[in-house]
Amino acid sequence: MNDKELRKEAARVLDELPAEFREQLHNIEIVVQKRPSKHQLAEMDLDSYEEVIYGLYEGVPLPDRSAFDPPILPDKITLFSEPLLSDFPDRDELREQIRLTVIHEIGHYFGMDDDEIEKLGY
């Protein structure tokens, strides 16, 4: 898959979410980049590319927002193509990992931490 296909697959995952979740997703951008930037690694408290990261949510989680806050930039879900394509050469396995990654990052959008998301199987 190329970057365009990865974005399209992520959009498909969003489109297939149950309506009660999909209707709460606003102003979210899907981005594909090769691997995390140094800034993104620092934000995740990682020093290097040794830990495999397939995706990242950047934004203000829904529960942390207030009607009094100024308008915010779009929330962003970034998929990292290099580790995804390297670790999942089989197209069906790659599609499943993209699904898991996007759902995991959406969990962060809804204010869940990694432990809560992992308990749900993502």
Side-chain angles (χ1 to χ4, degrees):
M1 280 190 197
N2 60 35
D3 288 359
K4 183 178 178 180
E5 291 171 316
L6 288 170
R7 267 191 307 279
K8 185 176 177 180
E9 188 62 28
R12 184 189 64 75
V13 172
L14 294 176
D15 289 342
E16 292 179 355
L17 287 173
E20 63 265 24
F21 296 110
R22 195 176 57 248
E23 291 168 357
Q24 295 182 57
L25 296 174
H26 302 285
N27 205 22
I28 294 181
E29 179 180 11
I30 302 288
V31 175
V32 176
Q33 65 187 58
K34 283 192 176 199
R35 57 186 165 269
S37 67
K38 289 181 181 181
H39 173 75
Q40 289 168 321
L41 288 172
E43 289 291 315
M44 293 183 284
D45 292 325
L46 300 174
D47 296 339
S48 69
Y49 297 105
E50 291 177 17
E51 189 169 336
V52 177
I53 305 294
Y54 298 126
L56 175 66
Y57 166 75
E58 295 172 282
V60 178
L62 216 47
D64 296 344
R65 297 179 188 188
S66 165
F68 301 108
D69 290 337
I72 58 175
L73 295 172
D75 290 83
K76 183 167 71 168
I77 293 175
T78 304
L79 296 177
F80 300 113
S81 61
E82 198 170 85
L84 281 166
L85 295 171
S86 175
D87 291 352
F88 302 95
D90 178 82
R91 191 173 186 86
D92 290 335
E93 290 177 9
L94 176 59
R95 289 182 76 201
E96 177 61 12
Q97 185 58 50
I98 291 169
R99 186 183 76 78
L100 293 172
T101 301
V102 169
I103 292 173
H104 179 99
E105 302 312 331
I106 288 170
H108 291 306
Y109 172 86
F110 284 110
M112 300 172 77
D113 66 24
D114 282 329
D115 290 337
E116 292 170 309
I117 296 168
E118 288 176 21
K119 284 180 185 174
L120 295 173
Y122 302 101

